[in-house]
Amino acid sequence: MYDMILNDIFFKDWYSLLNITVTTILVYVGIIIILRVSGKRTLSKMNAFDFIVTVALGSCLGSIALTTDIPIINGLWTIILLVSLQYIITLLSAKYPLFKKKISSDPTLLFFQGDYLHSALQKERITKEEVLQTLRMKGYDDVKSIEVIILEATGDISVIKKIENISSPVYERIENV
């Protein structure tokens, strides 16, 4: 009894290993082809939708590789659909600013000219300690040398040293809470 249970846990049969090997290789090659055709943006970290596609692709690969009930073509079709939907959303957001505004968030100013913007930190659920950690990780040792800290739409935190021209187009659409 225990031998049978242990065999199923550690090793089921050669067919399942062969199935996982062939499926994983084929789907992996399929994903590479699909991503090459769809372009660099598909796996970028530009906004929440790009992140969702990246996570979903990984989940699909894992499910297809380990589930013998899913035919390879069904898995690849799912991947094609996800990448196509992401492509359509990014195309629409590039073409229609109003659509982009509805599906993505604007960057948020967290720190400006020596002052933390506490309402923005609270709204974005970020602590001062997390901002300081980011500063340390980026090699800053003094907030006096920093002009602005921005929470980007991707969730990344950008740090900009003292600057001359705060009205630069680089700083457009930053939400100041």
Side-chain angles (χ1 to χ4, degrees):
M1 174 81 169
Y2 287 116
D3 288 342
M4 195 165 74
I5 293 171
L6 287 177
N7 282 343
D8 281 350
I9 291 173
F10 293 106
F11 180 78
K12 191 170 185 176
D13 56 40
W14 288 105
Y15 172 77
S16 64
L17 286 178
L18 178 63
N19 185 47
I20 289 170
T21 303
V22 171
T23 301
T24 301
I25 290 169
L26 291 176
V27 173
Y28 180 75
V29 169
I31 287 176
I32 289 173
I33 292 168
I34 292 165
L35 293 178
R36 290 292 294 152
V37 169
S38 68
K40 296 175 189 170
R41 171 71 190 255
T42 305
L43 289 182
S44 70
K45 200 172 92 171
M46 302 287 279
N47 61 43
F49 294 99
D50 297 322
F51 175 73
I52 289 168
V53 168
T54 303
V55 171
L57 289 175
S59 178
C60 284
L61 176 60
S63 295
I64 297 163
L66 294 174
T67 306
T68 57
D69 297 343
I70 301 173
I72 292 173
I73 194 68
N74 291 16
L76 286 174
W77 182 245
T78 302
I79 290 167
I80 289 169
L81 286 174
L82 285 169
V83 170
S84 297
L85 288 170
Q86 193 264 356
Y87 182 85
I88 291 167
I89 286 175
T90 57
L91 189 66
L92 289 172
S93 67
K95 191 170 183 170
Y96 302 107
L98 184 61
F99 184 79
K100 180 179 178 17
K101 189 171 175 73
K102 294 292 181 193
I103 66 161
S104 63
S105 59
D106 288 336
T108 303
L109 193 61
L110 302 176
F111 177 93
F112 183 71
Q113 296 179 336
D115 294 319
Y116 287 94
L117 305 176
H118 296 286
S119 60
L121 290 168
Q122 188 175 24
K123 177 186 174 210
E124 300 295 347
R125 298 180 323 273
I126 294 179
T127 65
K128 184 177 169 183
E129 290 74 24
E130 290 169 321
V131 173
L132 292 172
Q133 177 185 1
T134 299
L135 294 177
R136 289 190 300 273
M137 291 173 65
K138 292 182 183 254
Y140 292 96
D141 60 354
D142 185 9
V143 293
K144 293 176 187 166
S145 66
I146 296 167
E147 184 77 15
V148 295
I149 300 173
I150 302 165
L151 176 64
E152 302 292 352
T154 61
D156 292 326
I157 295 178
S158 296
V159 180
I160 299 166
K161 295 188 278 185
K162 296 272 184 191
I163 51 178
E164 297 297 319
N165 184 11
I166 193 67
S167 62
S168 167
V170 172
Y171 305 107
E172 286 180 9
R173 290 195 58 200
I174 296 175
E175 187 178 316
N176 187 359
V177 181

